[in-house]
Amino acid sequence: MVACEQGYLCDVCGKDVEAITESDLYLRYILGEVSPLALPTLRERHIRCNPATAQYIVDPAFEPVRCEGMFAKEQMDVAYVAEQEARVTRAWRRLQEVPKLGIPLTEYPLPEVRAAWQRHT
Ligand SMILES: [Zn+2]
């Protein structure tokens, strides 16, 4: 399989996911929810096209996303929501920075994710 840097289509809306900074896949990779080996095999999605995760991004630079239905954060435990907002927002901010940092892909994830990987190797 030939992997290419650009030209991945969103699994939800069908439009191009033009930049890594708007990729739900890479956001979840930074969160440690996707392993580096699984990364090339998974379908790409826009962050905004996955409201269940995007609703937890709380940053002035990110227009808030509302998630409806059973995964809406209004339905969740307050402490859980606060924890998710802190974690997902931190990962989103890191995602906005990584293209400028010039670091290898394996250093993209949050520090605690990388530390957990290192304990396994
Ligand atoms: Zn999309």
Side-chain angles (χ1 to χ4, degrees):
M1 195 184 99
V2 178
C4 132
E5 288 287 317
Q6 283 161 346
Y8 285 107
L9 299 182
C10 174
D11 207 19
V12 179
C13 72
K15 296 197 188 111
D16 212 6
V17 181
E18 286 172 16
I20 186 174
T21 51
E22 59 184 29
S23 162
D24 170 69
L25 187 56
Y26 280 87
L27 180 68
R28 289 185 300 124
Y29 173 62
I30 287 174
L31 284 165
E33 291 169 9
V34 173
S35 95
L37 294 176
L39 207 50
T41 67
L42 294 174
R43 300 295 301 268
E44 188 54 280
R45 254 186 323 204
H46 293 109
I47 289 172
R48 310 195 68 85
C49 290
N50 182 17
T53 299
Q55 65 178 335
Y56 295 112
I57 303 169
V58 183
D59 190 285
F62 185 82
E63 193 192 325
V65 169
R66 266 191 67 87
C67 178
E68 310 288 342
M70 62 183 287
F71 291 106
K73 66 181 179 182
E74 290 78 11
Q75 313 272 0
M76 306 282 184
D77 181 70
V78 174
Y80 172 82
V81 170
E83 194 185 293
Q84 290 300 306
E85 284 181 345
R87 207 170 66 93
V88 178
T89 300
R90 211 151 54 85
W92 180 81
R93 287 186 185 138
R94 182 151 179 84
L95 180 64
Q96 307 312 297
E97 280 172 9
V98 284
K100 295 173 225 153
L101 296 176
I103 54 174
L105 190 64
T106 47
E107 287 178 24
Y108 284 17
L110 293 173
E112 65 267 32
V113 174
R114 297 202 305 275
W117 284 349
Q118 269 154 19
R119 284 197 294 274
H120 284 283
T121 51

